[in-house]
Amino acid sequence: MYRPAARIFVLALAALMAAPLCAQDHPRTDAIPPIGSITPVEIPSPEQVFAIPPAMRAMLQAQVMDRSSSREQRLQALVEMIFGRQGLDLQYDANATYTVGEVWQQRRANCLAFTLMFVALAREAGIQARVQEVGQVVSWYQDQDAGVVYSVGHVNAGVEIAGRYATVDLDRNVLYDRHGPQPVSRARALAHFYNNRGAERMADGDLVGARAFFDAAVVQDRAFPSVWNNLGVLDNREGNTDAARQALDRALRLDGRHDAALTNASALYRRLGLDAQAKALERRLKSVQREDPFAQYMLGTQAEQAGRLAEAIRHYRQAVRLYDTAHQFHFGLARVYFLSGQLERADRELTRAQLLGGAPEQARYQAKLDSLARWRAQQQARR
């Protein structure tokens, strides 16, 4: 699954961002859809975003609140209600940035919509819950060898149980950065919502609608760098390079390590002939990437897919040095060691990945180890 909670657009091809996540804003040759095909801008109020429909509240009462007064039991019942066939039977949809009421109607949600809904329902049921933000994540989907996505924004829910907070995340295959989930205000949560809606409008060519939602996000939280990045992309698409530059500069003042804003601003400066400024931002981006294990992992993945194994090994090893406890990084390093014929090193990294992965990954990594052992035995038998 997974589109980022903070959807981010980039002006030029970003070396470390996967296409499924971040739209690429190349020079536009396609026509913007005619006005008649654009959905009118209807921006839900903050109250409408979190409002629980009466029928949904009745289901919550019957399936959660009437079953127990214990917070722990209510939490378990809430999860069953959301995913069970007798309840919401919720399905994942990467593009479903919905209000709570729309989730009820459509029975679909992405990570952001799920989090907003879960927190609203949990609080209604007397469970202490909060929206949490993660600065960076890597997610794996289906085939973990290839289906990898890197994002600079994600949200999930935190729930209080016996005085301690636990995390509820719709994406079970996500690796958080070292800071982990951090609680955010209602205003920041709403800024994520409006920013996502704006990004969806911009992807569809509805620039008027996109701006309306981005402006709504800014009203909620002017210190949200991702929305300023997206406004910079929008201004650029509309040909207003001065406004684009101001928006991107503001994003970088808020977060000088914001990958997409660094990429976008450097590309814009190049186009404006401001080569010195562009080079300075490119150097900063490379510096950020060198110290970012997620960026190093994604660079390694790209090199591996292109067959540049020595380069992939270099990036994966750097990712491991920066974040040694990520079993996925050791697994990536094991793959390229195996492909380059360094079997002992591949065996060592696979074993490390298995130890770090814990019970959920034991079987999968054991299968990889067994496959490697069989391959080595076959090679020895041919000699």
Side-chain angles (χ1 to χ4, degrees):
M1 58 154 289
Y2 188 80
R3 300 266 175 173
R7 280 198 175 175
I8 296 165
F9 282 74
V10 291
L11 295 170
L13 183 62
L16 60 85
M17 294 203 176
L21 272 181
C22 301
Q24 312 296 323
D25 191 24
H26 300 294
R28 306 276 296 197
T29 57
D30 54 315
I32 295 175
I35 296 299
S37 69
I38 296 175
T39 304
V41 182
E42 296 181 5
I43 300 179
S45 68
E47 292 72 24
Q48 289 172 323
V49 171
F50 289 103
I52 302 172
M56 192 182 210
R57 182 175 281 105
M59 177 184 287
L60 181 70
Q61 183 71 45
Q63 297 193 18
V64 177
M65 299 169 69
D66 288 346
R67 289 179 57 179
S68 174
S69 59
S70 162
R71 288 183 179 178
E72 290 79 2
Q73 292 179 355
R74 283 189 175 186
L75 178 60
Q76 181 61 41
L78 176 58
V79 172
E80 293 174 0
M81 185 197 94
I82 290 173
F83 295 105
R85 291 191 175 182
Q86 302 303 314
L88 284 177
D89 192 18
L90 187 70
Q91 303 298 311
Y92 175 76
D93 182 341
N95 296 311
T97 305
Y98 289 156
T99 67
V100 175
E102 290 167 339
V103 173
W104 169 256
Q105 293 172 348
Q106 303 296 328
R107 307 300 169 101
R108 294 180 290 122
N110 60 12
C111 291
L112 175 58
F114 166 80
T115 297
L116 299 182
M117 177 196 68
F118 188 92
V119 169
L121 293 177
R123 289 176 175 175
E124 183 74 12
I127 301 168
Q128 294 290 328
R130 65 193 188 189
V131 178
Q132 301 179 145
E133 182 182 74
V134 186
Q136 293 175 306
V137 296
V138 173
S139 293
W140 284 261
Y141 310 106
Q142 297 176 358
D143 179 4
Q144 290 194 22
D145 295 358
V148 184
V149 171
Y150 169 56
S151 168
V152 289
H154 181 62
V155 297
N156 55 34
V159 293
E160 189 271 331
I161 302 175
R164 300 180 64 183
Y165 269 89
T167 294
V168 180
D169 200 316
L170 188 58
D171 189 346
R172 292 174 295 179
N173 297 312
V174 69
L175 174 65
Y176 306 142
D177 63 23
R178 287 191 179 278
H179 299 293
Q182 301 295 318
V184 296
S185 66
R186 182 173 183 267
R188 174 57 71 93
L190 286 164
H192 275 286
F193 175 85
Y194 294 128
N195 182 57
N196 258 31
R197 282 280 181 96
E200 291 166 359
R201 289 294 186 112
M202 184 157 61
D204 291 339
D206 178 7
L207 305 190
V208 174
R211 185 171 299 280
F213 277 104
F214 290 150
D215 288 345
V218 169
V219 168
Q220 292 299 321
D221 190 345
R222 299 185 66 83
F224 188 25
S226 294
V227 71
W228 289 109
N229 173 79
N230 286 348
L231 277 167
V233 174
L234 177 59
D235 289 329
N236 180 74
R237 288 195 179 187
E238 293 180 335
N240 191 344
T241 54
D242 287 341
R245 180 177 174 180
Q246 291 175 16
L248 292 170
D249 285 349
R250 182 152 192 167
L252 290 173
R253 286 197 300 272
L254 291 167
D255 181 1
R257 300 174 62 85
H258 197 282
D259 303 72
L262 285 169
T263 301
N264 291 337
S266 61
L268 180 60
Y269 286 155
R270 284 284 184 193
R271 194 156 57 251
L272 295 175
L274 303 173
D275 292 342
Q277 293 94 322
K279 288 180 180 178
L281 291 176
E282 289 163 0
R283 287 194 297 269
R284 193 197 303 182
L285 177 61
K286 289 182 180 179
S287 176
V288 168
Q289 291 177 347
R290 279 195 300 270
E291 300 305 317
D292 182 353
F294 292 178
Q296 288 297 311
Y297 182 83
M298 292 308 301
L299 290 170
T301 298
Q302 292 171 3
E304 178 186 353
Q305 292 174 348
R308 303 190 302 272
L309 299 183
E311 179 184 341
I313 288 172
R314 185 171 68 253
H315 288 302
Y316 283 148
R317 289 183 65 180
Q318 178 67 355
V320 166
R321 280 194 291 269
L322 293 168
Y323 199 159
D324 181 62
T325 56
H327 63 87
Q328 301 93 334
F329 294 175
H330 288 277
F331 184 36
L333 184 55
R335 280 198 314 270
V336 289
Y337 275 147
F338 177 80
L339 292 171
S340 61
Q342 302 180 58
L343 302 185
E344 289 186 5
R345 289 183 174 182
D347 196 355
R348 183 178 67 243
E349 292 300 326
L350 270 174
T351 301
R352 178 70 172 153
Q354 184 184 41
L355 290 173
L356 290 171
E361 297 294 334
Q362 289 287 333
R364 192 172 74 87
Y365 285 139
Q366 185 60 53
K368 296 290 184 180
L369 286 168
D370 294 343
S371 177
L372 176 59
R374 287 193 299 272
W375 187 87
R376 293 174 66 177
Q378 292 171 359
Q379 295 301 307
Q380 292 173 353
R382 292 174 181 172
R383 294 174 182 172

